[in-house]
Amino acid sequence: MQPLPVKMPLPCDFSLVAYYPMLIFLVIVIGLATVIMILAHIFNPRRITPVKQMPYESGMDPIGDARGKFDVRFYLVAILFLVFDVELLFLYPWAVATQGENPVIVGALRTIIFWEMLVFVGTLLLAWAVAWRKGVFQWR
Amino acid sequence: MDWNALIPLLVTLITIAVILGGVLGGVAYLTLLERKVSAWVQDRYGPNRVGFDFGQSWLWFLRKAWGLGQPLADGVKFLLKEDVIPGHVDKVFYLLAPMIAMGTALFAMGVVSIGDTPAPPALVMSKPIAGQEKSGINVLTFPTSIEDVKRLERSGELKGYVDQNEAYQKRWKFSINPGADIGFLFIFAVGSLAVYGIVLGGWSSNNKYSLLGSLRSSAQMISYEIPMGLSIVGVLILVGSLNLERIVDWQARNGWLAFYQPTALLLFLTAIFAECNRLPFDLPECEQELVGGYHTEYSAMKFAMFFLGEYTHMITTSFLTVALFLGGWHLPGLEAFLGADSYIALAAKLGLFMAKVGGVVMLFMMIRWTILRFKFNQLMNLAWKGMMPLGVLSLLGSMVVGQFGLSPWLLLPWSLAILLLVTALGAFLPAEDTKVHFKVTRGRAPSASGVVVRRPAGAEAV
């Protein structure tokens, strides 16, 4: 019995064991996908010809390799996604812990965290504005 | 051996079988529905030939059958067609990609409840710390087992949890994993994994079309995940839980979230359209430019698995939309009319949930055959310049309402106001200089200088 400085709204019998149906479901889904692949492999005919083995480029002989260089903008978007999505994931525990009908964190602490959260969202907006100003969202 | 301990396992297995069968059967018939809807939109008949007569004359009454045999015929065809694995592919990832695409879409159904699954009882107990009542920080003794809870109930510190829990255990649950507290977060996580199926499929194909399609797709999916996440935080602030059953339960008591946050609903719908690669956002596989996009090199069953994944994703996200914004199984007056717990009421709620999901799926399909495809720069503009600030503004409104305990109805005017504001501001943005074209002179060769030619200002787009 540990005294905590917060109140817990949920039954505290949390353990990973409660998620065993998910594990069974995962096993079944993977099994299903594998079985479908194996069935298709057994039933389908295979007549390999050199033309079928070529990469498809609208009927012409392929030019060069597909693994070339591509626009750096895709990486920029990926980095931005990383920044914003990770920031976003901080909002989830905040919303669950301090908001709603049975907040875990109440009182003065809740107010402090709220203002901190506003600053946090403000920082997010600032980063977004900087990225826009730098032309990350320009596609052509 | 205690056989009673196996009953929950059996229930789980049956639920999994029913939901998996339902989703896969639903997907098969959604492909037919899609073709029928497209036919109705374009004033055609659509598939209406394949019935269940299997060429037997004595089954004449099953012939044609409105084309209902089409999915079965398609499935058999997919199984028996030649499955070409081109010589230049990265074989491990090439085989793994369709499995990931299908598996992740199916796996996300794990926490979705398809009917009136009750929310687990809340364990509410708190006491101010002795001598620090003004701090507002409460204290809880943390029960680690059901024995602890019972002891606390006997001492009077906790009320009613054991009874509620017993009642909860007896109720029917229409979910593979009822009471999953990670709920939405799980779907968010598994849904993000779907990007891997597409990226691996495109990359391992070693084909330029595939690679371009998968690159576009990954950029699109990760861009739209942010507005999607932002629109959900508003829901979380009002409800205070990620548990989907609790969210539906909140809506049954306080009104559907679509009425409080129409902008969030709009953002969520747009984002899931993009996540599912459905038509206004189907750049990953736009036929005119990229042949088939990331599945250009896939054939037969592997191709079918990509489509299975896409349609399953559609079903899952439709369930989510209904559960998060459209009240789940709830309809005003239904419980007063049929009672809360009767079998008829449970069946009615199940049917109602399905009807709502069907409505969202129909919306998916009607939009696919109505709205034109975006260009890639428009797509990115919409996500980063339109939906992102809209999501943050919507979130700020929810934060203030949630923190200061204001009426959630205040969110409705706020929601509509920011929608109008952002749309109006969008009109004042400086137009982007995107009108860059290769000048095509005589036949197909680029212009003699080989340079990019800018169109004169005011010229019509071709």
Side-chain angles (χ1 to χ4, degrees):
Chain A
M1 297 280 281
Q2 288 275 323
L4 289 185
V6 290
K7 81 189 170 102
M8 301 289 291
L10 304 176
C12 298
D13 52 0
F14 175 83
S15 63
L16 268 180
V17 180
Y19 286 86
Y20 77 93
M22 218 67 101
L23 183 67
I24 299 174
F25 190 43
L26 180 65
V27 171
I28 288 180
V29 164
I30 292 174
L32 185 74
T34 319
V35 164
I36 291 179
M37 295 289 269
I38 291 172
L39 275 185
H41 192 74
I42 291 170
F43 281 114
N44 67 43
R46 268 181 299 282
R47 292 179 207 90
I48 299 169
T49 65
V51 176
K52 277 185 201 165
Q53 298 280 298
M54 270 166 39
Y56 176 78
E57 280 189 21
S58 309
M60 294 192 291
D61 285 346
I63 305 163
D65 190 58
R67 309 264 165 80
K69 294 175 180 172
F70 48 83
D71 201 340
V72 71
R73 250 174 262 275
F74 286 109
Y75 294 116
L76 277 181
V77 167
I79 290 167
L80 269 188
F81 163 74
L82 209 63
V83 171
F84 286 127
D85 210 45
V86 169
E87 293 203 8
L88 196 60
L89 282 181
F90 282 115
L91 287 171
Y92 281 62
W94 165 75
V96 172
T98 71
Q99 302 293 320
E101 291 174 329
N102 290 313
V104 180
I105 296 166
V106 288
L109 190 58
R110 182 168 177 260
T111 319
I112 296 168
I113 294 179
F114 172 71
W115 293 111
E116 281 178 355
M117 236 35 222
L118 275 187
V119 173
F120 186 68
V121 174
T123 324
L124 187 112
L125 275 179
L126 194 68
W128 172 74
V130 168
W132 189 339
R133 195 85 185 84
K134 288 275 177 189
V136 179
F137 308 139
Q138 285 280 331
W139 290 79
R140 53 178 59 185
Chain B
M1 181 163 178
D2 184 14
W3 293 102
N4 280 335
L6 287 182
I7 288 177
L9 189 66
L10 199 64
V11 170
T12 306
L13 284 177
I14 291 172
T15 321
I16 289 175
V18 169
I19 288 184
L20 212 53
V23 169
L24 291 179
V27 164
Y29 277 89
L30 275 188
T31 56
L32 179 67
L33 182 68
E34 175 108 73
R35 292 166 73 180
K36 282 280 186 192
V37 168
S38 78
W40 291 330
V41 170
Q42 299 167 348
D43 203 10
R44 296 184 281 114
Y45 284 114
N48 63 352
R49 293 280 153 176
V50 187
F52 295 102
D53 63 332
F54 304 108
Q56 307 291 317
S57 57
W58 57 276
L59 285 171
W60 54 269
F61 52 93
L62 289 176
R63 281 187 69 208
K64 293 198 174 176
W66 306 286
L68 285 177
Q70 189 74 46
L72 190 66
D74 283 345
V76 172
K77 187 194 78 175
F78 276 132
L79 203 59
L80 298 181
K81 265 188 84 168
E82 177 173 5
D83 198 350
V84 181
I85 302 178
H88 51 86
V89 300
D90 204 322
K91 214 164 176 183
V92 175
F93 295 131
Y94 182 80
L95 296 179
L96 200 61
M99 290 168 70
I100 293 178
M102 195 188 89
T104 51
L106 277 177
F107 191 39
M109 283 300 286
V111 292
V112 177
S113 80
I114 56 172
D116 177 15
T117 306
L123 183 59
V124 184
M125 56 174 291
S126 65
K127 253 187 336 191
I129 302 170
Q132 295 182 30
E133 280 81 2
K134 278 182 192 165
S135 73
I137 299 174
N138 289 12
V139 67
L140 170 83
T141 40
F142 187 61
T144 49
S145 66
I146 199 72
E147 280 73 36
D148 276 346
V149 175
K150 280 180 180 161
R151 198 185 50 74
L152 285 169
E153 290 220 334
R154 272 198 303 277
S155 69
E157 283 181 71
L158 190 64
K159 280 194 194 75
Y161 175 76
V162 171
D163 294 343
Q164 284 172 21
N165 195 35
E166 241 166 53
Y168 169 71
Q169 300 294 348
K170 280 181 192 150
R171 294 278 301 272
W172 280 54
K173 298 175 192 76
F174 300 86
S175 172
I176 290 175
N177 197 346
D181 283 328
I182 45 172
F184 179 75
L185 204 56
F186 175 80
I187 292 174
F188 206 56
V190 174
S192 306
L193 285 180
V195 182
Y196 281 97
I198 290 172
V199 171
L200 282 183
W203 184 80
S204 67
S205 291
N206 205 350
N207 177 315
K208 284 161 206 147
Y209 295 126
S210 303
L211 188 68
L212 279 175
S214 71
L215 274 178
R216 279 182 174 191
S217 172
S218 50
Q220 169 186 330
M221 284 172 98
I222 61 181
S223 294
Y224 278 82
E225 214 146 271
I226 290 161
M228 180 168 154
L230 278 175
S231 63
I232 292 304
V233 181
V235 172
L236 295 186
I237 287 172
L238 288 187
V239 180
S241 174
L242 284 159
N243 187 332
L244 289 172
E245 290 129 31
R246 230 179 264 281
I247 292 174
V248 174
D249 185 52
W250 189 92
Q251 294 180 80
R253 284 182 284 113
N254 299 329
W256 300 1
L257 281 157
F259 295 125
Y260 299 129
Q261 301 177 323
T263 306
L265 172 62
L266 192 68
L267 287 177
F268 187 74
L269 269 180
T270 319
I272 61 173
F273 272 67
E275 296 275 311
C276 296
N277 298 326
R278 296 288 298 185
L279 195 82
F281 308 102
D282 80 333
L283 285 117
E285 45 188 293
C286 56
E287 294 85 355
Q288 292 83 0
E289 299 164 32
L290 295 179
V291 188
Y294 57 88
H295 51 59
T296 304
E297 296 283 6
Y298 282 92
S299 51
M301 207 60 204
K302 299 194 193 71
F303 174 79
M305 281 168 83
F306 271 119
F307 263 77
L308 211 65
E310 189 182 316
Y311 278 87
T312 312
H313 206 150
M314 206 165 98
I315 293 183
T316 317
T317 46
S318 302
F319 267 112
L320 264 188
T321 317
V322 172
L324 290 174
F325 289 101
L326 300 177
W329 44 264
H330 177 252
L331 189 73
L334 181 84
E335 290 208 327
F337 190 64
L338 290 173
D341 241 353
S342 66
Y343 287 110
I344 305 172
L346 284 181
K349 285 169 180 173
L350 189 66
L352 197 61
F353 207 125
M354 291 299 153
K356 285 182 185 176
V357 170
V360 179
V361 169
M362 273 309 271
L363 183 74
F364 263 100
M365 294 194 169
M366 301 299 273
I367 285 182
R368 167 162 185 187
W369 296 102
T370 320
I371 297 181
L372 300 178
R373 183 183 298 136
F374 285 121
K375 287 196 296 187
F376 200 73
N377 64 326
Q378 291 171 329
L379 184 90
M380 285 296 160
N381 277 356
L382 182 67
W384 289 104
K385 296 182 185 171
M387 290 167 70
M388 168 92 189
L390 204 53
V392 171
L393 285 176
S394 166
L395 167 67
L396 284 177
S398 308
M399 280 173 84
V400 171
V401 165
Q403 176 68 25
F404 298 110
L406 307 174
S407 160
W409 282 111
L410 286 174
L411 282 175
L412 181 62
W414 169 256
S415 219
L416 297 175
I418 55 171
L419 190 59
L420 282 177
L421 180 79
V422 171
T423 320
L425 280 181
F428 289 108
L429 278 183
E432 260 189 87
D433 185 19
T434 55
K435 292 193 171 161
V436 183
H437 295 259
F438 282 102
K439 190 177 182 185
V440 179
T441 54
R442 230 183 268 167
R444 296 184 169 229
S447 65
S449 57
V451 293
V452 174
V453 180
R454 269 163 206 276
R455 309 186 120 254
E460 289 294 310
V462 180

